[in-house]
Amino acid sequence: MSRLLFFLFLPTLALSAEPGVTVRQITQGPLHHFFGYIGHVGTIPWNASGRYIVALQTKHQDRMPEPGEAADIVLIDTQNDNAVRVVEQTRAWNPQQGAMLYWNPQAAETQFFFNDRDPTTHEVFCVLYDIAEKRRVTELRHAKTPFGNSGVAQKGGWFLGINYARLARLRPVTGHPGARDWTAGVQQPEDDGIFKVNVATQETRLLVSFKQLADALRATHPEVDGKDLFINHTLWNRDDDRIYFFVRGDFDKKEGRCNVPCVMNADGSELRVLRDFIGGHPEWGNGHHMIGAADGRQVIYDTDAMEVAGTLGSPEIFPNPGGDVALSPDGRWLVNGHGEKGMNFYTILNLADKNWVRTPGFSQGGYSGDLRLDPGPLWNRDSTQLLVPGIADDAARTRQLFIITVNRAAE
């Protein structure tokens, strides 16, 4: 097996000139710039033409945002020396997941989704914004059950929603402190879980409730009883007919915690509790196959048969298969981002010829816990570039965005 080479390019320094991948920083301080954790499959920060990258801009990164504290939503113009322009603001963001930014698949040149919070009621909701019209096309609010976007259908038309105020209590790294939580004090509510919204009609339904999930899990996972359950990672597959997610409780504890993967059809039917936990931040492959980690290997997991259907790479290529993984839109490349000794590294594997490369490390800046800087690699639409975060080598150690370009001539 051959291995691709790399060179690192920063604004003032070129370390090498070998083919493989290039890395460059595209945003600068003194303000911080980041996109956020991948959060849901198929997230692409570039608009349809590839000219603009949508991201967040903040004044601080050393604490969680206070209730009502806004972050700027910016466009980075890749055709104009990566000039940064503020287009909106959001009060529903955090350092790990950002504001769940997502270009609308049905109008990806000009429209994107993001989460926001009402400054008076502190209710979280989803916004659809148009950069050509310079306005919010719609605000998708649900006063009785205020939730935000947790995953847009990859072909568009729908998004899933979860209660980010509940997450602020039970999984702060992914929640919004001070948001209104209608489920406070209820361990397994019947009116909360995973919601599904039709973007055009705003028709909304609760696909599965925490009460239903507890009932489905109890036989094989009795640890659900007595726990305040929450949901992370509502992932649409590429065909938009399946949804994968984790049901969790007491997640900050090593003993007795609940951490169970489930799948269901996109209409909420055929809820299935998976036999195996495939680790890390998994990604949908083709059909009903997931890419994740099992027994120290990067694996393909068949969610129908509930078994490992194959492996990818080797322990040498993927030393931490439970890292953040992302399959390129063309299905030809897999990237695994993993943390090691205060740095994030990205291993990029060509699935056809098995060539691979590991990038230089990107500093995590010493941040951990709710402020940690996860790798979160994000592909562009051409499957040639990745957007990743890192702490810049500047005096203030600001959080900035970097682009990794894959040299396709090296395939």
Side-chain angles (χ1 to χ4, degrees):
M1 181 184 299
S2 60
R3 179 175 176 177
L4 302 178
L5 301 176
F6 66 81
F7 73 83
L8 172 67
F9 177 79
L10 294 177
T12 59
L13 182 65
L15 298 183
S16 176
E18 300 292 342
V21 301
T22 61
V23 179
R24 61 191 175 94
Q25 183 178 329
I26 64 165
T27 58
Q28 312 295 326
L31 298 177
H32 306 280
H33 300 91
F34 61 98
F35 185 91
Y37 170 63
I38 50 178
H40 45 289
V41 175
T43 309
I44 299 176
W46 286 260
N47 72 336
S49 65
R51 176 171 183 174
Y52 294 113
I53 295 172
V54 65
L56 295 185
Q57 176 177 274
T58 65
K59 295 179 180 178
H60 68 85
Q61 65 166 342
D62 57 351
R63 59 176 173 80
M64 290 287 282
E66 299 290 338
E69 188 171 24
D72 293 331
I73 299 176
V74 301
L75 294 179
I76 302 168
D77 190 343
T78 65
Q79 296 180 12
N80 184 25
D81 198 28
N82 295 315
V84 175
R85 173 164 57 97
V86 177
V87 294
E88 253 288 359
Q89 285 193 321
T90 174
R91 294 176 176 85
W93 63 280
N94 57 54
Q96 193 197 51
Q97 287 191 325
M100 298 301 284
L101 296 159
Y102 200 106
W103 290 98
N104 179 8
Q106 296 183 337
E109 181 63 18
T110 64
Q111 293 183 359
F112 62 83
F113 296 95
F114 68 93
N115 286 340
D116 200 1
R117 166 188 355 207
D118 188 289
T120 302
T121 65
H122 292 287
E123 295 172 351
V124 174
F125 58 94
C126 179
V127 177
L128 180 60
Y129 183 84
D130 193 296
I131 65 175
E133 298 180 10
K134 299 180 180 180
R135 69 180 183 93
R136 298 185 177 201
V137 175
T138 186
E139 293 182 343
L140 298 124
R141 295 179 180 245
H142 301 83
K144 291 184 178 180
T145 57
F147 59 83
N149 163 44
S150 66
V152 178
Q154 296 195 43
K155 297 177 183 178
W158 305 85
F159 73 86
L160 302 175
I162 58 176
N163 181 357
Y164 286 93
R166 187 175 178 88
L167 286 174
R169 290 191 294 111
L170 305 175
R171 182 69 166 149
V173 67
T174 58
H176 304 313
R180 185 173 84 79
D181 181 8
W182 74 96
T183 68
V186 184
Q187 290 185 330
Q188 298 159 9
E190 297 184 53
D191 59 350
D192 192 11
I194 299 176
F195 297 86
K196 182 180 177 182
V197 180
N198 183 307
V199 177
T201 67
Q202 300 192 27
E203 176 189 355
T204 302
R205 59 173 294 214
L206 181 62
L207 291 184
V208 63
S209 72
F210 284 108
K211 174 66 165 54
Q212 290 173 298
L213 290 171
D215 291 343
L217 269 61
R218 187 168 291 110
T220 54
H221 296 274
E223 68 271 18
V224 300
D225 286 329
K227 287 182 171 51
D228 291 273
L229 300 180
F230 64 93
I231 291 167
N232 277 146
H233 309 303
T234 55
L235 309 176
W236 295 82
N237 71 344
R238 295 186 171 211
D239 297 325
D240 287 341
D241 67 343
R242 284 290 178 88
I243 297 164
Y244 181 99
F245 59 97
F246 291 114
V247 181
R248 291 172 166 171
D250 286 343
F251 194 67
D252 57 343
K253 299 179 180 179
K254 292 184 178 181
E255 300 294 334
R257 72 178 184 175
C258 176
N259 189 20
V260 183
C262 298
V263 295
M264 62 183 175
N265 291 341
D267 62 0
S269 64
E270 296 187 28
L271 173 67
R272 307 180 73 196
V273 180
L274 296 180
R275 287 196 297 260
D276 305 295
F277 182 87
I278 57 171
H281 296 141
E283 156 82 301
W284 280 107
N286 294 321
H288 297 163
H289 288 172
M290 297 289 297
I291 300 171
D295 299 323
R297 297 293 299 267
Q298 198 84 71
V299 301
I300 301 170
Y301 185 80
D302 186 330
T303 62
D304 291 335
M306 291 200 233
E307 63 184 17
V308 173
T311 61
L312 297 168
S314 66
E316 176 193 10
I317 296 173
F318 298 121
N320 183 357
D324 295 350
V325 295
L327 182 67
S328 62
D330 66 7
R332 299 176 65 185
W333 299 81
L334 178 71
V335 59
N336 173 299
H338 77 278
E340 182 180 339
K341 297 180 180 179
M343 307 289 282
N344 287 329
F345 296 88
Y346 299 89
T347 303
I348 305 168
L349 173 67
N350 184 316
L351 296 174
D353 62 20
K354 312 308 179 187
N355 282 340
W356 62 281
V357 60
R358 182 166 300 125
T359 69
F362 296 77
S363 174
Q364 298 172 345
Y367 292 99
S368 61
D370 294 346
L371 303 176
R372 71 179 185 268
L373 198 154
D374 281 352
L378 297 146
W379 287 98
N380 70 350
R381 298 178 188 275
D382 296 332
S383 303
T384 58
Q385 293 184 322
L386 291 154
L387 186 73
V388 302
I391 301 300
D393 188 19
D394 54 29
R397 303 293 288 164
T398 57
R399 183 178 299 211
Q400 302 300 340
L401 290 167
F402 299 78
I403 287 182
I404 300 169
T405 299
V406 181
N407 182 1
R408 302 303 290 263
E411 293 182 58

